[in-house]
Amino acid sequence: MPRPRTKDELVTASTTNFDKLMSLLDSMNGEELNGEFHFDVTKEKEAHWKRDRTIKDVLIHLYEWQVLLLDWVESNQKGISKEFLPDGYNWRNYGEMNQEFWKKHQDTTYSQALDLLKGTHRRVMDLMNSFSNEELFTTGYFPWTGNYPLGTAFVSNVSSHYEWALKKIRKYARSLK
């Protein structure tokens, strides 16, 4: 699916990819949903291949990034200046933040992770729908988004992030056969 460039495309891609993710999860049994990934990651360069070892880990990653998005947008809308990444993190060391998310949720169950993600998905979609196409895709419309349109953050944290999750969970599903 091409990268969304309009509100309609963003809403459609986000909804479609979330529905695909839920369908994929619905097609798996409890043992598979709670199993550990055992596929070979030695050729994979990205840190997430070694970090996320279960579907729960993938869902929690999506959830935590959506929380970041919600907090960032809602704070800035209220006039509270806030950077996207929490204090202490930047785009060079955000992998450490991802690792902290992973550690934080080691006692979270698959079912809890799924419920958390479903909750943030609804909130993110409501927030996304509250903006016009111009507000989402005009660079500089909001001063707190810097050199990027607000929609870029939604694309990265919703539609594209769901594609990432689908790729990873499909790889796991293939490894079970």
Side-chain angles (χ1 to χ4, degrees):
M1 187 174 285
R3 188 169 178 85
R5 298 188 185 284
T6 67
K7 178 180 177 177
D8 287 343
E9 290 174 358
L10 176 59
V11 169
T12 298
S14 298
T15 301
T16 300
N17 289 343
F18 182 77
D19 290 347
K20 285 180 184 177
L21 179 59
M22 293 302 108
S23 292
L24 177 58
L25 298 177
D26 287 345
S27 74
M28 302 173 86
N29 66 40
E31 187 176 320
E32 293 167 336
L33 292 169
N34 290 290
E36 286 206 21
F37 298 166
H38 292 292
F39 43 79
D40 182 19
V41 296
T42 55
K43 294 179 184 172
E44 305 294 349
K45 292 182 174 110
E46 298 95 349
H48 70 85
W49 288 104
K50 292 182 179 82
R51 180 193 65 232
D52 301 329
R53 301 306 302 155
T54 65
I55 291 174
K56 173 206 67 167
D57 295 340
V58 173
L59 300 182
I60 283 300
H61 181 82
L62 296 171
Y63 160 76
E64 287 288 355
W65 276 83
Q66 288 182 1
V67 168
L68 289 175
L69 175 65
L70 289 163
D71 289 346
W72 177 64
V73 174
E74 291 169 352
S75 292
N76 282 290
Q77 280 184 307
K78 292 175 186 170
I80 303 165
S81 181
K82 184 171 189 166
E83 296 293 322
F84 186 88
L85 296 177
D87 288 341
Y89 297 105
N90 57 50
W91 295 109
R92 288 182 304 280
N93 73 353
Y94 72 93
E96 296 168 21
M97 178 188 68
N98 287 334
Q99 191 64 33
E100 289 302 315
F101 291 155
W102 181 86
K103 286 180 193 173
K104 174 181 167 184
H105 287 281
Q106 286 309 290
D107 292 330
T108 302
T109 65
Y110 164 80
S111 181
Q112 290 168 329
L114 182 60
D115 288 345
L116 289 169
L117 178 60
K118 285 179 178 180
T120 55
H121 173 76
R122 279 189 298 276
R123 288 180 55 210
V124 165
M125 294 304 292
D126 288 345
L127 184 59
M128 182 190 303
N129 278 304
S130 75
F131 292 104
S132 68
N133 187 69
E134 183 181 13
E135 290 170 323
L136 286 168
F137 288 98
T138 301
T139 301
Y141 191 93
F142 297 105
W144 43 271
T145 64
N147 295 326
Y148 298 96
L150 176 60
T152 301
F154 281 97
V155 170
S156 297
N157 289 281
V158 189
S159 60
S160 292
H161 230 172
Y162 291 153
E163 287 177 357
W164 165 84
L166 282 162
K167 177 181 176 184
K168 191 160 195 169
I169 296 170
R170 284 176 180 145
K171 182 172 181 145
Y172 166 62
R174 284 191 305 275
S175 77
L176 297 172
K177 296 181 177 157

